[in-house]
Amino acid sequence: MSSQTASKLFSPIDLAGRTFANRIVVSPMCQYSAENGIATDWHLMHLGMLANSGASLLILEATAVEAAGRITPGDLGLYNDENEAALARVLTSVRRYGNAQLGIQIAHAGRKASSQRPWEGGRALRPDQDPWTTYAPSAIPFAEDWHTPQAFAARDFERVRNAFVATAQRAVRLGFDAAELHGAHGYLLHAFLSPLSNQRTDGYGGGFEGRTRFPLEVFDAVRAVWPTDRPLGFRLSASDWIEGGWTIEESVALAKILKQRGCDFIDASSGGIALGAKIPLTPGYQVPFAAQIRREAEIPVMAVGLIVDPKQAERIVAEGEADFVALARALLDEPHWGWRAARELGGEIAYPPQYARAAPELWPGHKFQEESSVMD
Ligand SMILES: Cc1cc2nc3c(=O)[nH]c(=O)nc-3n(C[C@H](O)[C@H](O)[C@H](O)COP(=O)(O)O)c2cc1C
């Protein structure tokens, strides 16, 4: 392919001095398949599959900094030595056989913790299901019939900030290539940002400065222990999609501050703070948020949400709306999505040698696939 028509989706990019082979990212996806925070063989299967999807970066699911910060009893954690040893085993195999670089999403579920796995109902754990105490900026439940969280006291700020740092240090030891803090979807850091969930009257609530204070303290503390040659980002919900909630303007302002403090990228999602938000679920519906943050805060961004088609992904990167596209469900549906995108857009993908005979130049079957799709 000539340089004029070369795919932008398949062009390399440097972030924090690290080179990523293309712009495709596996978006973090909870698997609810850990036991006491400990990774299982499901993680080996799931991550093993996606490490050869064609994405240059695979970000592991929300990984809790303390047991109380897990969304469900099945969430992955990285808060003790057992968690770390189990993840080390998984990562060793995934690195040995996979091509993607590996990122981690460091998380605390806040008032949305202590809930059932989605396939068990996804509601707050009932009294007979071993629920645990949840924490949030204010003692306001996520929704009716959800746990009323404990409002953060002085000791909670310190405990949770230290827990983020300790998890980041474990992640450094595990050799993760990148990390993002989970500041989206209504979980703890987002709950501090949004006026809908943060109604504190001390220095950690009120206006923009107060609401961003704890998330920024956590970011600074993690930044201090995270190596500068590995990208560290922040996933935010760019808008609550609710009147009186967190806004895209505030997201841009936060992104500017994060950039000054050494944040390498923003991963722009949205929603999740409360039920009843009106979200227009059209293809690429969150891309304009990423584009605005990229333009106004001048920071690299990941766009995410209903990015499904290779040409759509190509357009987002080529038109400068985002530096990366993060995909979740399209990659579960088609774990080699990146391979197909490479064929359609003329990009290059590193096949594992075991699967090399399925590459277009070695398998005549590809030609028949193309012919039959033309006949359809
Ligand atoms: C099974 C599943 C688990 C998810 N878990 C997480 C998570 O751990 N952290 C997160 O920030 N988003 C999570 N998400 C949201 C995705 O990362 C992504 O933002 C969302 O699915 C929209 O992208 P998509 O349209 O490509 O699926 C999850 C989504 C799915 C489908």
Side-chain angles (χ1 to χ4, degrees):
M1 181 175 250
S2 78
S3 60
Q4 266 190 332
T5 54
S7 162
K8 293 284 186 287
L9 188 67
F10 285 94
S11 64
I13 183 171
D14 285 352
L15 210 56
R18 211 160 256 253
T19 303
F20 293 87
N22 62 48
R23 313 305 185 86
I24 306 167
V25 174
V26 181
S27 200
M29 280 182 273
C30 280
Q31 296 301 297
Y32 314 104
S33 300
E35 287 156 20
N36 296 318
I38 299 168
T40 62
D41 283 352
W42 176 258
H43 293 92
L44 192 56
M45 287 176 55
H46 167 71
L47 297 169
M49 171 179 87
L50 292 175
N52 281 315
S53 63
S56 67
L57 174 63
L58 160 54
I59 305 181
L60 267 67
E61 66 196 82
T63 303
V65 301
E66 62 174 8
R70 294 170 301 158
I71 306 166
T72 76
D75 279 33
L76 193 61
L78 188 51
Y79 46 79
N80 62 31
D81 292 346
E82 246 187 309
N83 296 163
E84 188 176 332
L87 206 47
R89 184 182 76 89
V90 169
L91 296 183
T92 300
S93 298
V94 171
R95 279 202 194 94
R96 181 163 175 211
Y97 295 113
N99 281 310
Q101 298 194 58
L102 301 177
I104 181 169
Q105 187 183 49
I106 304 177
H108 191 298
R111 66 181 187 170
K112 291 173 86 171
S114 186
S115 60
Q116 302 156 341
R117 293 171 182 85
W119 56 83
E120 291 167 348
R123 302 184 64 78
L125 287 172
R126 292 189 313 261
D128 63 336
Q129 293 179 314
D130 295 328
W132 59 83
T133 304
T134 61
Y135 299 88
S138 305
I140 307 169
F142 167 64
E144 221 177 292
D145 296 333
W146 278 71
H147 308 298
T148 299
Q150 269 189 24
F152 253 49
R155 63 177 179 279
D156 299 316
F157 287 101
E158 205 186 328
R159 186 192 79 246
V160 173
R161 196 171 39 233
N162 290 343
F164 268 93
V165 169
T167 294
Q169 286 170 320
R170 290 183 187 277
V172 174
R173 262 204 305 273
L174 287 170
F176 276 103
D177 303 290
E180 68 174 26
L181 299 189
H182 198 345
H185 305 164
Y187 300 116
L188 184 70
L189 299 183
H190 181 192
F192 268 92
L193 296 175
S194 174
L196 301 175
S197 43
N198 181 348
Q199 296 181 2
R200 298 180 72 91
T201 51
D202 62 4
Y204 288 99
F208 174 82
E209 201 183 324
R211 284 182 279 114
T212 55
R213 189 166 155 200
F214 184 59
L216 286 170
E217 282 179 4
V218 169
F219 179 82
D220 285 345
V222 170
R223 180 71 277 182
V225 299
W226 188 260
T228 50
D229 62 353
R230 305 190 207 176
L232 175 63
F234 194 96
R235 173 171 267 206
L236 48 71
S237 276
S239 167
D240 282 342
W241 299 103
I242 296 174
E243 193 68 32
W246 175 258
T247 64
I248 175 62
E249 289 75 23
E250 288 180 304
S251 296
V252 169
L254 177 62
K256 286 181 181 169
I257 300 170
L258 283 166
K259 184 188 172 190
Q260 278 168 5
R261 296 182 182 213
C263 183
D264 297 303
F265 67 91
I266 297 290
D267 183 356
S269 189
S270 76
I273 201 68
L275 302 176
K278 299 237 168 347
I279 306 182
L281 293 173
T282 52
Y285 67 104
Q286 294 171 148
V287 175
F289 293 137
Q292 188 172 344
I293 292 168
R294 184 175 193 261
R295 198 171 55 242
E296 295 180 14
E298 298 179 343
I299 186 168
V301 297
M302 292 176 186
V304 64
L306 287 181
I307 300 171
V308 176
D309 175 60
K311 291 191 187 67
Q312 173 199 14
E314 172 71 20
R315 213 166 35 242
I316 291 165
V317 177
E319 292 179 2
E321 292 183 302
D323 300 276
F324 293 90
V325 288
L327 280 69
R329 289 162 294 183
L331 277 165
L332 293 186
D333 183 53
E334 188 186 350
H336 292 158
W337 185 93
W339 302 13
R340 178 162 68 85
R343 288 201 303 276
E344 285 185 21
L345 301 168
E348 274 183 29
I349 276 298
Y351 280 71
Q354 295 90 336
Y355 285 5
R357 287 175 63 183
E361 55 283 9
L362 292 180
W363 183 39
H366 276 300
K367 213 161 144 275
F368 300 142
Q369 278 184 326
E370 278 159 26
E371 280 168 10
S372 69
S373 72
V374 170
M375 279 156 56
D376 281 347

